[in-house]
Amino acid sequence: NAGVTQTPKFRVLKTGQSMTLLCAQDMNHEYMYWYRQDPGMGLRLIHYSVGEGTTAKGEVPDGYNVSRLKKQNFLLGLESAAPSQTSVYFCASSLRGALEIIGYTFGSGTRLTVV
Amino acid sequence: GQQVMQIPQYQHVQEGEDFTTYCNSSTTLSNIQWYKQRPGGHPVFLIQLVKSGEVKKQKRLTFQFGEAKKNSSLHITATQTTDVGTYFCAGREWNNDMRFGAGTRLTVKP
C-alpha cells in the first residue's frame, strides 16, 4: 500500500496564479484533511472531508477550496495565490475522525512558494 | 476556541540525557495524540491517550495524560540521535477538530 500520496512535491507560483494540490489514499479511509505547516505554528487545518461528496471548513480556510468527488481523492485548490500561502501543505487521512485509534496518516507534503 | 499549547519550543540535549515536552489545553479533551516529524519529513503517529491519568510506554518513550484531561507529556529516557525531530501533540474536544500544538524541536548532540 502506498498510503497517502501527494502531488506535486514542490511548486513555485507567481502571485495571482492558481493551482490544485492532489491527495490520494489507498487505505479506504473515510476522513481526509488538508493542513498547512508554518514555522513555529504547528499544523493548522484548512479543510476536511468526512466522506465522498462532503467538505467542511477548518481553522484557516480562506483562500482555499476543496473537493472530494471520489472517496480516495481530496483536492486542494488555490484560486489566486498570495505570498501568505507560502507554506508546506500536508494531506492526511483517518478511518473515522473522533473514533480513530491509529491516528492520522500523513502524506509526504507539498512545499509551495508564492513569489 | 480550543487552544493547545506546547512547551518548550526547542530543546537541545546531549545524547543520553532525558527529554520532556509538555502539552496543555485550554479545554478538556476527549483524547490526545502524539506525532513525530523527522527533519524534512512528515508527521508520523506515535500514540493516542484517551483515559484520565493514562500512562503508556513505547520503549524509551513514556506518554502521560493528565487527570483533568487538559494536559499531557512525552518523556524520552536516555535520548539517542535517532530521536531527533519535532514532537507534536494534538488534542481533540468531543466531536471537534483535532488541534495540533506548535511542536517541540529536539536536537541531540552525539
Side-chain angles (χ1 to χ4, degrees):
Chain A
N1 285 348
V4 177
T5 303
Q6 289 184 235
T7 54
K9 295 191 185 304
F10 303 93
R11 185 72 186 268
V12 178
L13 284 181
K14 292 183 179 179
T15 298
Q17 286 186 320
S18 64
M19 79 162 294
T20 301
L21 280 65
L22 311 179
C23 178
Q25 54 96 2
D26 60 1
M27 298 171 287
N28 202 34
H29 283 175
E30 291 292 333
Y31 283 51
M32 296 187 75
Y33 315 83
W34 276 106
Y35 285 90
R36 61 177 289 174
Q37 184 174 37
D38 303 293
M41 300 190 73
L43 293 151
R44 292 184 292 169
L45 183 64
I46 305 171
H47 286 280
Y48 65 99
S49 168
V50 301
E52 181 178 321
T54 69
T55 63
K57 294 180 180 180
E59 184 184 357
V60 288
D62 294 342
Y64 306 94
N65 56 77
V66 288
S67 65
R68 183 112 181 256
L69 300 179
K70 293 183 178 181
K71 185 177 182 179
Q72 63 267 34
N73 297 331
F74 196 28
L75 278 59
L76 177 71
L78 286 73
E79 292 186 348
S80 180
S84 60
Q85 293 178 304
T86 294
S87 187
V88 179
Y89 292 86
F90 286 102
C91 176
S93 69
S94 68
L95 276 171
R96 288 175 292 179
L99 301 176
E100 85 282 352
I101 59 172
I102 58 172
Y104 291 7
T105 300
F106 282 85
S108 58
T110 296
R111 187 174 296 275
L112 175 66
T113 302
V114 183
V115 297
Chain B
Q2 178 194 357
Q3 298 288 335
V4 176
M5 307 299 292
Q6 196 172 348
I7 57 171
Q9 188 174 3
Y10 303 97
Q11 186 76 58
H12 179 72
V13 300
Q14 191 79 32
E15 188 173 22
E17 292 181 338
D18 292 356
F19 159 77
T20 305
T21 174
Y22 301 91
C23 188
N24 295 290
S25 171
S26 57
T27 58
T28 302
L29 301 171
S30 62
N31 63 59
I32 194 160
Q33 298 181 353
W34 285 91
Y35 292 77
K36 176 183 179 181
Q37 184 177 22
R38 294 183 186 276
H42 58 275
V44 175
F45 174 74
L46 294 177
I47 206 161
Q48 175 170 280
L49 304 172
V50 178
K51 300 177 182 177
S52 170
E54 189 170 15
V55 178
K56 287 188 176 180
K57 292 189 175 183
Q58 289 180 349
K59 297 182 180 179
R60 294 178 295 102
L61 278 61
T62 301
F63 304 85
Q64 295 189 2
F65 201 10
E67 293 290 342
K69 301 184 73 173
K70 285 185 150 184
N71 56 73
S72 180
S73 65
L74 159 59
H75 180 81
I76 302 179
T77 303
T79 55
Q80 300 174 358
T81 54
T82 53
D83 296 324
V84 165
T86 301
Y87 293 85
F88 292 98
C89 63
R92 184 193 298 282
E93 291 182 358
W94 295 102
N95 294 324
N96 280 350
D97 299 337
M98 195 157 68
R99 289 291 178 98
F100 282 80
T104 296
R105 179 180 294 181
L106 172 65
T107 55
V108 180
K109 184 177 181 181

